[in-house]
Amino acid sequence: MASIRLAAAAAVILLGAAAAGCDAAGVRLPPGDGHAPAAPSDPAGARPAPGPARTPGGEEGPRTGPGTDHEERPSASDPATGEAREPEEAPEEAVAAYMEALASGDPARMAAGLAYAAEGSTAHDYLAHQVSVARAGADGGSPAAVFEAERTAHGWKLCRESDPGGAPGCSGYRDFTAQDGLVGGLRVNGGDPGPGLLVPAPGTRPRAESAGVSATLLTAYRSTTAKALVVTVGFETRENADLDLHQAVYRSGSGHESRVNAVAGRHELDAGTLARAAFHLPGASSGGVLRVGGCLEECSSLVELAVPVR
């Protein structure tokens, strides 16, 4: 087994876990009380206080090593006979390139890894979400965490060095299936991330606008283990604006409201700027509305954005 130490800018918000667990991008989100933590944060899947270790994109590291659960691999059907057949394994070279990109934590390098995942597949959407979280972290000036990517007998394992006083967290990746000769499917910590992913196509992304500030839903992911929703949003403004990211409120489809408890991104936007932010919502699911407020320069106008997460 060859280990590769990679500086991962916490892109393994570990994608749906920030303050409650992660599964791939390890970016820590500052707590949503309006005050940044004493320790450096990394916006894509961070936790506001010492707690379960997170991995990229937003999930807790597994309590056991990857592959120790004995769930059966998903089966596919033969289009000619309709009989179940074993899915084709993804090419080893594509899997290695995909995992090294995911672990890197560098938004540009992570984005380059999308070339090894089939367009529209679970693997592509999963990495796209992690990239968006990592970019939100970079916009907010979050430093990189350190990850180690290691091949195992069952797949791959990503581990982050422990925080002061904490324990290192690991996530397991396995059952990589092929689609169009690239990586199509995978399991993270034993679960399929596909049902928890929401990555709208560019022309279909929900959008909101207020006082010359626009907000566009980029991705959302509810991790398979942490049961937390991480939403990434792109902001653009025609005038200088200050957004109250830490005061954002999420209203679920059932009408329940909750405030975000961790955020990554830059809240002070200059005219003409594009910026991303990642919001961590424990216990939430897609299908609701994220409300973000703020002011234009000198509070000449209030900003009230309601972004559909669906």
Side-chain angles (χ1 to χ4, degrees):
M1 301 180 189
S3 295
I4 308 166
R5 284 185 74 81
L6 300 168
V12 186
I13 251 186
L14 299 165
L15 253 330
C22 325
D23 65 42
V27 176
R28 289 176 219 134
L29 303 171
D33 59 2
H35 301 285
S41 61
D42 48 1
R47 52 181 184 277
R54 291 160 187 78
T55 42
E59 287 194 5
E60 290 182 4
R63 297 181 183 279
T64 55
T68 52
D69 57 292
H70 300 289
E71 298 181 33
E72 295 183 2
R73 293 181 55 152
S75 60
S77 297
D78 188 309
T81 65
E83 295 180 359
R85 59 178 172 78
E86 281 295 308
E88 180 185 352
E89 291 187 4
E92 186 176 338
E93 298 79 5
V95 172
Y98 177 91
M99 289 304 301
E100 290 176 15
L102 176 64
S104 73
D106 175 76
R109 186 174 174 187
M110 293 172 71
L114 291 169
Y116 300 95
E119 191 79 31
S121 69
T122 293
H124 195 281
D125 285 352
Y126 181 80
L127 182 53
H129 171 73
Q130 303 298 339
V131 170
S132 196
V133 167
R135 284 176 174 163
D139 284 350
S142 295
V146 177
F147 281 87
E148 183 175 284
E150 179 183 338
R151 291 179 186 270
T152 71
H154 304 282
W156 285 75
K157 179 171 67 174
L158 258 58
C159 294
R160 184 172 68 187
E161 287 191 344
S162 63
D163 293 321
C170 298
S171 287
Y173 297 78
R174 63 184 181 90
D175 293 351
F176 296 93
T177 57
Q179 183 176 322
D180 301 327
L182 301 170
V183 183
L186 75 165
R187 296 181 81 80
V188 181
N189 293 338
D192 176 8
L197 284 163
L198 175 59
V199 184
T204 65
R205 291 170 178 162
R207 188 171 179 275
E209 186 168 356
S210 172
V213 180
S214 66
T216 303
L217 174 70
L218 301 176
T219 66
Y221 175 54
R222 189 172 195 263
S223 71
T224 60
T225 60
K227 306 307 178 189
L229 181 69
V230 172
V231 178
T232 66
V233 177
F235 294 98
E236 183 175 6
T237 179
R238 293 197 295 266
E239 299 181 41
N240 293 346
D242 191 343
L243 301 179
D244 296 328
L245 301 181
H246 294 284
Q247 304 301 319
V249 172
Y250 185 74
R251 185 180 180 87
S252 69
S254 63
H256 175 72
E257 289 194 352
S258 57
R259 221 179 75 185
V260 299
N261 74 336
V263 181
R266 189 171 74 250
H267 65 90
E268 293 182 345
L269 306 181
D270 296 329
T273 358
L274 290 168
R276 298 186 187 222
F279 301 86
H280 179 262
L281 300 148
S285 300
S286 297
V289 175
L290 180 69
R291 297 183 179 277
V292 181
C295 284
L296 296 187
E297 194 167 30
E298 297 183 356
C299 254
S300 57
S301 293
L302 292 179
V303 176
E304 297 179 345
L305 297 160
V307 187
V309 183
R310 58 177 73 101

